[in-house]
Structures are given as structure tokens and as C-alpha cells.
Amino acid sequence: DAGVIQSPRHEVTEMGQEVTLRCKPISGHNSLFWYRQTMMRGLELLIYFNNNVPIDDSGMPEDRFSAKMPNASFSTLKIQPSEPRDSAVYFCASRLKVLGGQVTYEQYFGPGTRLTVT
Amino acid sequence: ELKVEQNPLFLSMQEGKNYTIYCNYSTTSDRLYWYRQDPGKSLESLFVLLSNGAVKQEGRLMASLDTKARLSTLHITAAVHDLSATYFCAVDRGNQGGKLIFGQGTELSVKP
């Protein structure tokens, strides 16, 4: 299994530009999570999906951020327009929510996208 | 608002010594996670603790959960250099599971 795949791994952009981060969850997993990690704020959950449906987006910092999951194997996190304070590492994680009738909880993290907004 | 606090935040140990990292949280939860992160890398799941009194062990690491005290511990036995990393605990707040609130992380350095 390839694990969670994220692209790009590094992104440098100028303030005001649109940024799109991509995530492919582990095949068969039905929950997907977007996190942000910064030195100041640590690890924060931005949004998560169950079966492609957004369940909780209360962590999305503002309207400049949006996330979609058009199908079970792909999700995007978009920032428009980007600002320097958005610079962070963005992680995607996935989980198989139910296995053999039992709820499972372990989340598997992707390698992250390091975003720098200048 | 749920708060998750780890201590210590920095820990320098000698190889062969034992130590414990503490994770306190402010509201009720029955699910607690421990992750490891190497510098510049992703997070690796270590343990998922699902009930009061749960204890899990893997190699030199042992995690436990006391939901009444709202406390989890990660005990390191006979530390080795390979354990040097940052360790995070996270508490699950979602009704459907998955809304993780992370602690600040404990940066562990094991020196020969």
C-alpha cells in the first residue's frame, strides 16, 4: 500500500495567489482529515470528511480556505487568496472508519505539504 | 474548550534511563492517541487507547489511559538513541470519532 499521498510536497507562492493542495487517501479508507502544523499553533484539525461528506469544518480558519472531496480517492484544500500567515505544513490523514462492524480510530498521515507564502 | 497539555515539553535523557511523558486533558474523552514525529517528517501512529485503564506496549514504549483523572502517560524504558523524536498525544472529541485535539508535543533527545 502506498499510504496517503499528498502533492505537491513543497509549494512556494506569493501573497494573493491561489494555492491548491491535493490528497489521495489510502484505498478503501472512508474518512479523510486535513491538518495544519505551525510552530506557533501546533497541530490543528481544519476539516474532516466521512464518506466524502464534510462532517466538521470548524477548524477552517476563514473563508479563504475551502476543502472538497469529490470522490473517495481525492481531496483538495484550497487557499484563495493566500497570505504569509498561511505558511505551514499541511497534512492529510485517512482512516478506515468501520472494519468488520467495529469502529476504528487510527489515522494514517501523509508526508505533508510545506507551504511558504511570501 | 478542550485543552490538551503535555509535560515536559523538552526532555533530554541518557541512554538506558527510564522516563515518563504526561498528557493531561480538560474534558471527558474515552479515546486518546499517541504519535511520533521525526524532524521534517510525518506523524506515525504509536498507540490508540480506547477505554479507562487501557495499557498498550510496543518495544520500549508503554502507554496508559486514566479517563477519570483525564491523564495519559507514555513511559519510556531503557531509552535508546533511536527513540529521539517529538511525541504528541491527541484527544478525540468527535462523536463519530476523528476530531483530534493535539498536545504541544514533547521533544525527546536521547544521548549516549
Side-chain angles (χ1 to χ4, degrees), chain B residues 26-109:
Chain B
S26 59
T27 60
T28 303
S29 176
D30 290 332
R31 296 186 293 272
L32 189 131
Y33 308 72
W34 284 97
Y35 284 89
R36 168 182 171 146
Q37 186 178 37
D38 292 299
K41 303 294 186 181
S42 186
L43 281 82
E44 173 191 355
S45 177
L46 295 175
F47 302 107
V48 180
L49 304 170
L50 298 178
S51 61
N52 185 41
V55 177
K56 290 195 173 181
Q57 183 165 4
E58 182 73 34
R60 300 174 188 274
L61 301 178
M62 183 174 71
S64 65
L65 178 61
D66 182 342
T67 58
K68 292 186 171 68
R70 298 175 186 167
L71 170 68
S72 179
T73 61
L74 180 67
H75 186 73
I76 303 155
T77 301
V80 293
H81 179 69
D82 285 352
L83 290 180
S84 298
T86 298
Y87 293 85
F88 291 92
C89 66
V91 173
D92 192 336
R93 288 296 292 147
N95 290 332
Q96 300 188 38
K99 186 170 182 176
L100 300 191
I101 309 298
F102 280 83
Q104 313 97 308
T106 296
E107 187 177 331
L108 172 66
S109 175

